[in-house]
Amino acid sequence: MGLFVGQNIITLQQVPSTNEYLKDKLSNSTPLAEGTVIMAVHQFAGRGQKGTSWHSEPGKNLTFSLLLTPTFLNPKHQFSLTVAISLAIAQWLESLLHTAIKVKWPNDIYIGDKKIGGILIENILKGKVWKSAVVGIGINVNQVDFPETFQEHSIAIKQILHKDSNIGELLPDLCKYIEREYFELKNGGFEGQLAMYKQYLYRLGEVHPFLIDGVSVAGVLCGVTAAGRLMIDFNGHVVDFDIKEVAFSVKPN
Ligand code: BTN
């Protein structure tokens, strides 16, 4: 079967946010094939998880949104798409950079303690049916200067390869990895994907401080549930949390 993810790439020179652009098109009923990619050269008001913003210097990074229609999944299983996309990006980066890639739960992509990419999946449901997913992906490629608050915690492909990369050449390769994991999910491969996702988890098996109700508590990250809840072991007692209930804390109590 031919590649469908990224077969249709629409490149915009300037756009506030590719996710917003794609969602607008969908709400205006613009016919767009599954697998269509909206890619921005300059995304000037990019959005991140939890209402944050995503900064990117013009022309330097991968900033795009992909349209998927995972109608085969129950909307209760939204985390499975997060797993498939995170895995695809992690595996693609590993093959490109030959260095260890981690997924900071739920879907930040890390090298060491620095973030190289992020994912913002926005789902469009119709009643109880999953109509479409806008999969927004940002990967730092050639940008090495970041806004002050991010500088210390950010990394780019350029810092590993020590040279600039061609954004347009990277995208089709990443699309192949996404397509492979998406088909795997479609073919009932979620259990295996979840097991692999766990292998990529940042801080897995390590004692780490977590912020719970504003208090920093040390625990061992020991996995994620199929619904996407983070499992933390506190002295042999495992508790699971959703994204609003826990955060990685940098400072121990
Ligand atoms: C995060 O780490 O918080 C998620 C970042 C997602 C950024 C991408 S860039 C392309 C797409 N359009 C957006 O406005 N955001 C996503």
Side-chain angles (χ1 to χ4, degrees), residues 142-181:
N142 296 323
Q143 177 173 349
V144 292
D145 294 316
F146 298 91
E148 205 182 323
T149 42
F150 300 106
Q151 185 66 42
E152 209 189 317
H153 306 289
S154 302
I155 193 164
I157 287 178
K158 182 173 181 172
Q159 284 157 305
I160 308 291
L161 295 183
H162 305 292
K163 58 173 181 154
D164 279 334
S165 300
N166 181 317
I167 311 282
E169 283 172 14
L170 293 179
L171 181 60
D173 209 30
L174 172 54
C175 287
K176 274 187 221 156
Y177 279 78
I178 294 176
E179 176 151 322
R180 190 181 68 184
E181 290 309 318

Side-chain angles (χ1 to χ4, degrees), residues 41-87:
V41 174
H42 183 197
Q43 175 177 257
F44 55 88
R47 294 180 40 242
Q49 293 279 340
K50 296 186 187 171
T52 57
S53 43
W54 184 259
H55 303 272
S56 184
E57 274 180 32
K60 291 214 168 166
N61 300 313
L62 269 170
T63 45
F64 67 95
S65 299
L66 159 69
L67 172 63
L68 291 176
T69 51
T71 46
F72 58 94
L73 286 173
N74 184 314
K76 277 193 222 151
H77 300 153
Q78 292 182 19
F79 180 62
S80 60
L81 189 60
T82 297
V83 167
I85 301 294
S86 307
L87 259 188

Side-chain angles (χ1 to χ4, degrees), residues 79-95 101-103 106-109 119 121 137 174 177-182 184-185 189-201:
F79 180 62
S80 60
L81 189 60
T82 297
V83 167
I85 301 294
S86 307
L87 259 188
I89 299 174
Q91 290 172 347
W92 169 67
L93 282 174
E94 227 165 42
S95 75
I101 305 296
K102 294 287 166 196
V103 177
N107 52 8
D108 283 345
I109 313 295
I119 307 166
I121 303 181
I137 298 177
L174 172 54
Y177 279 78
I178 294 176
E179 176 151 322
R180 190 181 68 184
E181 290 309 318
Y182 186 60
E184 182 64 20
L185 180 62
F190 175 61
E191 255 178 59
Q193 288 178 307
L194 184 62
M196 203 170 289
Y197 173 90
K198 283 183 194 165
Q199 300 305 310
Y200 277 102
L201 277 177

